[in-house]
Amino acid sequence: MAVNLSRSLQYLRPTVNQGLHRVCNGGLESRRNAHFTFVPETPDPSQGETAKMTLLQSVTDALDIALTKDPTAVVFGEDVAFGGVFRCTVGLGEKFGKERVFNTPLCEQGIAGFGIGMAVAGATAIAEIQFADYIFPAFDQIVNEAAKYRYRSGNTFDCGSLTIRATWGAGGHGALYHSQSPESYFAQTPGLKIVIPRSPAKAKGLLLSCIRDKNPCIFFEPKILYRSAVEQVPVQDYELPLGVADILVPGDDVTLIGWGTQIHVLREVAELAQEKLGVSCEVIDLVSILPWDRDTIFNSVIKTGRVIISHEAPYTGGFGAELAACIQENCFLNLEAPVQRVCGHDTPFPHIFEPFYLPDKWRCLEAIKKVTSF
């Protein structure tokens, strides 16, 4: 019997959207489920006027600027024409029209393939994958086509003006299909850039850099920060460098490395370590997974001699393993203890047991005790 998929989705989508609103789209729900406290950063006065924005509003602002300044720029994906499930594209369809902000079929492979074609044809393509968990059907298009297009044509052709946005990470009990962190899957692919912001101000500047970079970029947006992260964001058009890590908290005894949401956990851990153990921790936001800032990481490790890497993705094969290997290879004689990784567990992302899965501040604090007493 033939199935009318579009009619079925009409009935399914309201239920899905209600669940997503409860899980990730309600500010109160996000705050209640957070395993950290977001602390806004002080804006750089040289960047001029600022406005109070959530992370999702800063993403919307960046997309608005990109569409305004680049007449070839287009935004597309599932539901983006009427604001998207997370509301990151609210108002853009009305402002720029259906030829520049438009919905696609529910087909991630098609979204990625279409974006590659748009970029090859000369447009600036900004594709949205509704959840990072659903980027896997597009995996072949991204790693075998987008990433290799320039190389296999001898730089005759490229799809560098392609940015793929996707919501990422834990977010209020999204369970196994809405909470994954798949950055390490793409990190082994030359030709891609992978970026994960920690805050609204970083999200805006980094997203504009990705959109204007001449390489395909994957921009993962921590969904739990969409509404829980609020700070003053410069209203002007600005870009932030890719591949440059940020030292957020200087320290002398232990280097703490993370990205995205986990940065806020590590900042709390650094305070706890100082208060309870008298240990001075240096907190580093990696910012870019690919390329990553080797100099900043190695210089910090040479200074402290102890390292903890923390991320939400599973322990085995997570990007922390790559960092640990490179640190051991380049800083071996400076290490005072083995490199520690505090990560998600090697299980599917759980539902009600999410708090036990996440690498929270107490697990990280135990790792600090371990490396300082080694």
Side-chain angles (χ1 to χ4, degrees):
M1 182 176 70
V3 176
N4 188 325
L5 180 59
S6 117
R7 177 168 296 178
S8 299
L9 288 169
Q10 288 176 5
Y11 294 103
L12 175 62
R13 190 174 299 282
T15 303
V16 172
N17 284 350
Q18 288 168 13
L20 293 178
H21 185 277
R22 175 180 57 79
V23 170
C24 303
N25 207 27
L28 179 61
E29 189 75 16
S30 292
R31 288 175 176 83
R32 186 163 61 242
N33 288 317
H35 54 290
F36 60 89
T37 299
F38 177 83
V39 177
E41 298 173 32
T42 303
D44 182 351
S46 67
Q47 291 186 309
E49 180 187 357
T50 63
K52 192 175 183 179
M53 298 185 196
T54 62
L55 191 142
L56 78 83
Q57 288 170 332
S58 72
V59 168
T60 307
D61 192 33
L63 294 174
D64 192 337
I65 289 171
L67 289 163
T68 299
K69 295 199 170 183
D70 182 354
T72 74
V74 291
V75 173
F76 52 93
E78 298 163 9
D79 304 330
V80 300
F82 47 84
V85 166
F86 293 94
R87 317 310 291 158
C88 288
T89 53
V90 166
L92 298 181
E94 293 84 348
K95 182 174 182 178
F96 295 100
K98 62 182 181 181
E99 292 185 351
R100 299 189 63 197
V101 181
F102 50 88
N103 293 335
T104 65
L106 303 180
C107 177
E108 286 77 12
Q109 184 180 24
I111 292 170
F114 179 80
I116 293 168
M118 289 287 288
V120 170
T124 297
I126 308 167
E128 179 182 295
I129 303 295
Q130 205 167 81
F131 284 89
D133 311 62
Y134 297 133
I135 203 169
F136 298 119
F139 192 79
D140 177 62
Q141 287 290 324
I142 295 169
V143 304
N144 274 335
E145 304 301 336
K148 297 176 173 63
Y149 210 101
R150 186 193 307 276
Y151 178 82
R152 72 177 186 174
S153 70
N155 203 31
T156 302
F157 307 103
D158 72 84
C159 58
S161 297
L162 169 65
T163 299
I164 298 174
R165 298 175 43 246
T167 59
W168 168 96
H173 304 287
L176 66 168
Y177 287 129
H178 299 87
S179 300
Q180 296 174 84
S181 303
E183 63 270 17
S184 65
Y185 287 95
F186 297 95
Q188 200 182 19
T189 308
L192 297 177
K193 292 189 176 182
I194 306 164
V195 179
I196 307 173
R198 68 175 181 268
S199 67
K202 293 293 288 187
K204 178 179 175 179
L206 290 169
L207 179 54
L208 284 168
S209 293
C210 285
I211 291 170
R212 292 161 180 170
D213 196 274
K214 294 307 176 186
N215 298 278
C217 294
I218 302 176
F219 190 78
F220 287 126
E221 299 166 8
K223 67 175 75 69
I224 200 170
L225 297 181
Y226 269 147
R227 281 178 167 78
S228 63
V230 184
E231 67 183 1
Q232 293 294 322
V233 177
V235 297
Q236 68 175 4
D237 179 355
Y238 66 96
E239 298 175 31
L240 295 174
L242 309 181
V244 178
D246 292 334
I247 299 176
L248 302 178
V249 180
D252 299 313
D253 300 325
V254 182
T255 298
L256 307 180
I257 306 170
W259 48 89
T261 306
Q262 197 62 17
I263 285 302
H264 308 295
V265 176
L266 294 180
R267 293 182 100 151
E268 293 186 15
V269 172
E271 291 181 8
L272 278 173
Q274 186 68 61
E275 175 189 337
K276 295 180 178 296
L277 307 174
V279 173
S280 171
C281 293
E282 183 151 284
V283 179
I284 299 180
D285 178 6
L286 199 61
V287 178
S288 299
I289 302 298
L290 202 66
W292 62 278
D293 187 348
R294 293 168 179 261
D295 290 342
T296 296
I297 298 299
F298 295 160
N299 288 338
S300 178
V301 174
I302 289 169
K303 177 177 65 171
T304 65
R306 299 173 178 87
V307 192
I308 295 168
I309 304 160
S310 187
H311 56 67
E312 290 182 9
Y315 181 91
T316 301
F319 195 67
E322 173 66 18
L323 296 177
C326 289
I327 289 167
Q328 186 276 147
E329 185 177 6
N330 290 273
C331 308
F332 180 75
L333 295 178
N334 302 95
L335 289 173
E336 302 290 343
V339 177
Q340 297 295 301
R341 286 177 286 156
V342 184
C343 310
H345 298 298
D346 288 338
T347 69
F349 200 103
H351 184 207
I352 61 172
F353 294 122
E354 179 180 283
F356 302 100
Y357 178 92
L358 291 170
D360 64 12
K361 58 188 176 184
W362 304 113
R363 287 175 59 194
C364 293
L365 186 64
E366 286 301 313
I368 291 175
K369 293 177 182 177
K370 184 174 181 179
V371 298
T372 53
S373 61
F374 181 79

